[in-house]
Amino acid sequence: MKVITKINEMQTYINKMKKRHTIGFVPTMGALHQGHMSLVAAAAGENSRVVVSIFVNPTQFAAGEDLEKYPRPIKKDLKMMKDSKLVACVFKPEAADMYPEGFASYVALENDMPQVLCGVTRPSHFKGVTTVIAKLLNIIKPDRLYLGQKDAQQAFILEKMMKDLNYETVAVICPTVREKDGLAMSSRNSYLTPEQRNTAPVLYTSLQMAESMIELGERNPETVKKEVRRKLKESQAEIDYVEIIEAGTLKRCEKLCGRVLIAAAICIGKTRLIDNIIMDIKD
Amino acid sequence: MKVITKINEMQTYINKMKKRHTIGFVPTMGALHQGHMSLVAAAAGENSRVVVSIFVNPTQFAAGEDLEKYPRPIKKDLKMMKDSKLVACVFKPEAADMYPEGFASYVALENDMPQVLCGVTRPSHFKGVTTVIAKLLNIIKPDRLYLGQKDAQQAFILEKMMKDLNYETVAVICPTVREKDGLAMSSRNSYLTPEQRNTAPVLYTSLQMAESMIELGERNPETVKKEVRRKLKESQAEIDYVEIIEAGTLKRCEKLCGRVLIAAAICIGKTRLIDNIIMDIKD
């Protein structure tokens, strides 16, 4: 497994690789867990080479967020990648090379997609995400990009950006990987105290309750959201948002039908957790 | 010479071409003249295949600008390209395919570069330019991109965007091609009445005067700009701007040294003309 830190070295390596191989790309911020590994496995299944990036992207963190605190267990990450025997190359650039002094070019969606859900409290977050992914796509030129459904808003925004800007890379959204008690795997789960960790599964169970209500015939999103909020309030968790919107476009839906995203964000102590369920409502 | 209008057809064509050839790309809005042909010739000299795009890009025109009026002599353009025997493919997409309903992703520089010079009166212009070129780079994946120095601000902005976003394409800036009387070739020259056309060369002669003053030792940009303004005011032309700034970065310079851009824009009647000279000041 190759580990490359320099952008131009990566480009040379990729240009050579692309002549013979299809490339599956898994962008990560490191602190890898089984969720990331499922993306790697999916990429390995559909491409002849897998490239993983590890880069804690500063432009997607606002002042006061957890950029400094974000875990960076790089040795463990590299071992996990190597042990998987699925990864051809890890790209681990430096922030000073990705964003040199005077960096000024940003890729952003100017519709509502980056403003809803997590965008309400993190208004500049998705601009950082679309910018860094555009850069990584230009460096790595993958055939397929693997994204986790846990970050559904991010995945749909990237899918839209790639379509709008004519990237040929195909976005593949993979199912959320969960702990035994249902908590979605996340690098930020490590911030939780044992007591908070006990509270955390309420996020997924609340979403599952919403899913059940809809399966049982409820079609008013407000009624479902109210119940989810009620359930979340019974716990220690502080609600950031509970939303039920169109999957893909992230547009509001008055009545539940088609493919919908049931998404919520909560804070437990200082740790912010997000999760979602995507449902196809057939009637 | 192939003429392709569909984006996916273009991508298929390019992916095949890239296996064997280097690609020189000349983006144009059509209404081709010898300036464009000089870019094609430069591209043919340095690459084994030349691709020219003809696309009057709506996102770089503001309301009230000349989007509708902009000349579109497509038959003549295609003949000129074909007769040159230098062009492998013309890409001529439809606006509805480049910007389908719901299009939302933009590429923009967030520094001062798009705000100075032409950006003062055309504040959204360069966002349209960086966005369409990012799209075209993603479709055509050229080795080299050929830009005319006449649109120096555009060229420097695109160079910066491509560097920031890690496009591997090299920007090549080619000298301005001029009519016998010095007027820079431009598709918009066709808007001029014969009388206005007689006035137009004052733009270049004013810039040449600035160049002479600097060659003779003048180092205060304000003194030079004042003289250029004075000379322009003697004509029918209405001054939009006269600026002397750092080439490349478009930053203000207090004292003239290094590589500088002497740029001006004037209106003659309703027609806006721009021109510039780049000088290397050695002392």
Side-chain angles (χ1 to χ4, degrees):
Chain A
M1 187 181 78
K2 236 179 141 57
V3 180
I4 295 178
T5 57
K6 291 294 166 205
I7 294 170
N8 57 0
E9 197 185 324
M10 193 64 196
Q11 287 173 320
T12 307
Y13 173 80
I14 289 288
N15 291 341
K16 205 168 161 186
M17 187 192 269
K18 262 200 89 73
K19 286 188 183 144
R20 291 159 183 266
H21 294 288
T22 55
I23 300 175
F25 172 44
V26 182
T28 83
M29 300 211 299
L32 303 178
H33 50 65
Q34 289 309 308
H36 298 108
M37 296 316 292
S38 77
L39 301 179
V40 168
E46 297 180 304
N47 304 274
S48 57
R49 288 292 181 274
V50 175
V51 174
V52 176
S53 67
I54 297 181
F55 180 57
V56 183
N57 174 37
T59 61
Q60 71 191 69
F61 290 80
E65 288 182 357
D66 57 346
L67 173 61
E68 289 77 24
K69 187 175 133 192
Y70 199 88
R72 290 168 173 83
I74 184 67
K75 272 191 189 168
K76 193 179 153 218
D77 287 347
L78 290 177
K79 185 174 185 312
M80 210 189 274
M81 294 289 105
K82 197 174 175 188
D83 289 351
S84 77
K85 301 193 194 308
L86 298 174
V87 179
C89 177
V90 172
F91 180 47
K92 206 176 73 57
E94 297 293 327
D97 291 333
M98 289 290 274
Y99 300 107
E101 188 163 337
F103 181 91
S105 305
Y106 292 87
V107 177
L109 261 64
E110 297 193 357
N111 63 8
D112 285 341
M113 290 178 76
Q115 303 307 323
V116 299
L117 305 180
C118 295
V120 175
T121 51
R122 308 185 77 189
S124 64
H125 172 67
F126 291 106
K127 183 164 85 175
V129 172
T130 41
T131 300
V132 79
I133 294 295
K135 285 169 65 69
L136 290 169
L137 290 176
N138 291 344
I139 296 166
I140 295 165
K141 307 169 196 74
D143 295 272
R144 296 177 193 83
L145 173 71
Y146 291 82
L147 302 165
Q149 188 197 311
K150 202 212 89 191
D151 300 305
Q153 184 176 15
Q154 167 174 286
F156 294 138
I157 284 173
L158 289 173
E159 209 171 43
K160 172 71 174 150
M161 181 276 281
M162 287 159 66
K163 182 171 161 261
D164 278 353
L165 297 184
N166 305 108
Y167 282 99
E168 277 175 88
T169 304
V170 174
V172 181
I173 304 178
C174 298
T176 303
V177 177
R178 300 180 180 282
E179 304 288 352
K180 277 185 187 156
D181 59 8
L183 178 65
M185 291 204 183
S186 164
S187 307
R188 288 189 171 99
N189 292 349
S190 65
Y191 298 159
L192 300 168
T193 65
E195 197 195 352
Q196 292 172 334
R197 177 63 190 80
N198 283 337
T199 300
V202 72
L203 180 54
Y204 185 50
T205 51
S206 306
L207 295 171
Q208 283 179 305
M209 188 196 62
E211 188 182 31
S212 298
M213 287 177 73
I214 298 169
E215 274 170 356
L216 290 170
E218 182 56 59
R219 290 295 176 268
N220 183 339
E222 295 309 317
T223 311
V224 180
K225 281 156 64 177
K226 199 174 157 188
E227 277 306 295
V228 172
R229 291 182 158 275
R230 199 190 46 72
K231 189 171 169 69
L232 285 170
K233 274 179 193 159
E234 284 170 4
S235 75
Q236 288 181 2
E238 191 191 317
I239 299 171
D240 177 348
Y241 64 77
V242 176
E243 288 292 351
I244 309 181
I245 57 182
E246 264 185 39
T249 63
L250 306 181
K251 284 183 181 162
R252 286 188 184 282
C253 44
E254 296 300 306
K255 190 169 171 291
L256 297 172
C257 67
R259 199 158 173 248
V260 299
L261 175 72
I262 312 167
I266 58 174
C267 285
I268 303 183
K270 286 180 179 176
T271 302
R272 192 168 169 280
L273 302 175
I274 62 173
D275 201 353
N276 68 81
I277 289 176
I278 294 175
M279 268 189 92
D280 279 298
I281 304 174
K282 294 275 161 67
D283 58 21
Chain B
M1 185 181 80
K2 238 181 141 56
V3 180
I4 296 178
T5 57
K6 291 293 165 205
I7 294 170
N8 57 0
E9 198 183 323
M10 192 66 197
Q11 287 173 319
T12 306
Y13 174 79
I14 289 288
N15 290 342
K16 207 169 159 186
M17 187 191 270
K18 263 200 87 73
K19 286 186 184 145
R20 290 160 183 266
H21 293 289
T22 55
I23 300 176
F25 172 45
V26 182
T28 83
M29 300 212 299
L32 304 177
H33 50 64
Q34 290 309 310
H36 298 108
M37 297 316 293
S38 77
L39 301 179
V40 168
E46 297 179 305
N47 305 273
S48 58
R49 287 291 181 272
V50 176
V51 174
V52 175
S53 66
I54 297 182
F55 180 58
V56 184
N57 174 37
T59 61
Q60 71 191 68
F61 290 81
E65 289 183 354
D66 58 344
L67 174 60
E68 289 78 23
K69 188 176 132 194
Y70 199 87
R72 291 168 172 86
I74 184 69
K75 273 191 189 170
K76 193 181 150 211
D77 287 347
L78 290 177
K79 185 173 184 317
M80 208 188 275
M81 294 289 105
K82 199 175 173 188
D83 289 352
S84 77
K85 301 193 192 308
L86 298 175
V87 179
C89 177
V90 172
F91 179 48
K92 205 178 74 58
E94 298 292 327
D97 291 333
M98 288 290 274
Y99 300 106
E101 190 165 335
F103 181 92
S105 305
Y106 291 88
V107 177
L109 261 67
E110 296 193 358
N111 63 7
D112 285 339
M113 290 178 76
Q115 303 307 322
V116 298
L117 305 181
C118 295
V120 174
T121 52
R122 308 185 76 189
S124 64
H125 172 67
F126 291 107
K127 184 164 83 176
V129 172
T130 42
T131 300
V132 79
I133 294 294
K135 285 170 64 69
L136 290 169
L137 291 175
N138 291 343
I139 295 166
I140 295 166
K141 308 169 196 74
D143 295 273
R144 295 177 193 82
L145 173 71
Y146 292 83
L147 302 165
Q149 188 197 311
K150 202 213 88 190
D151 301 304
Q153 184 176 13
Q154 167 175 286
F156 294 139
I157 284 173
L158 289 174
E159 209 172 44
K160 172 72 174 151
M161 180 275 282
M162 288 158 66
K163 182 172 161 257
D164 277 354
L165 297 185
N166 305 109
Y167 283 98
E168 276 175 89
T169 304
V170 174
V172 181
I173 304 178
C174 298
T176 303
V177 178
R178 300 180 181 281
E179 303 288 353
K180 276 182 186 157
D181 60 7
L183 178 64
M185 290 205 185
S186 163
S187 308
R188 288 187 171 100
N189 293 349
S190 65
Y191 298 159
L192 299 170
T193 65
E195 197 196 350
Q196 290 172 335
R197 176 64 188 78
N198 284 336
T199 300
V202 71
L203 179 54
Y204 185 50
T205 50
S206 305
L207 296 172
Q208 283 179 306
M209 189 195 62
E211 189 182 29
S212 296
M213 287 177 72
I214 298 168
E215 274 171 357
L216 291 170
E218 182 58 58
R219 290 295 177 268
N220 183 341
E222 296 308 318
T223 310
V224 180
K225 281 157 62 177
K226 200 174 158 189
E227 278 305 296
V228 172
R229 291 182 158 275
R230 200 190 46 72
K231 190 172 170 68
L232 286 170
K233 274 179 193 159
E234 285 170 6
S235 75
Q236 289 180 2
E238 191 192 316
I239 299 171
D240 177 349
Y241 64 77
V242 175
E243 287 292 352
I244 308 179
I245 57 182
E246 264 185 40
T249 63
L250 306 181
K251 283 184 182 161
R252 286 188 184 282
C253 44
E254 296 300 306
K255 193 168 168 293
L256 296 172
C257 67
R259 200 160 170 246
V260 299
L261 174 72
I262 313 168
I266 59 173
C267 285
I268 303 183
K270 284 181 179 172
T271 303
R272 192 167 169 281
L273 301 175
I274 62 173
D275 201 355
N276 69 81
I277 288 175
I278 295 175
M279 268 188 93
D280 279 298
I281 304 174
K282 294 276 162 63
D283 59 21

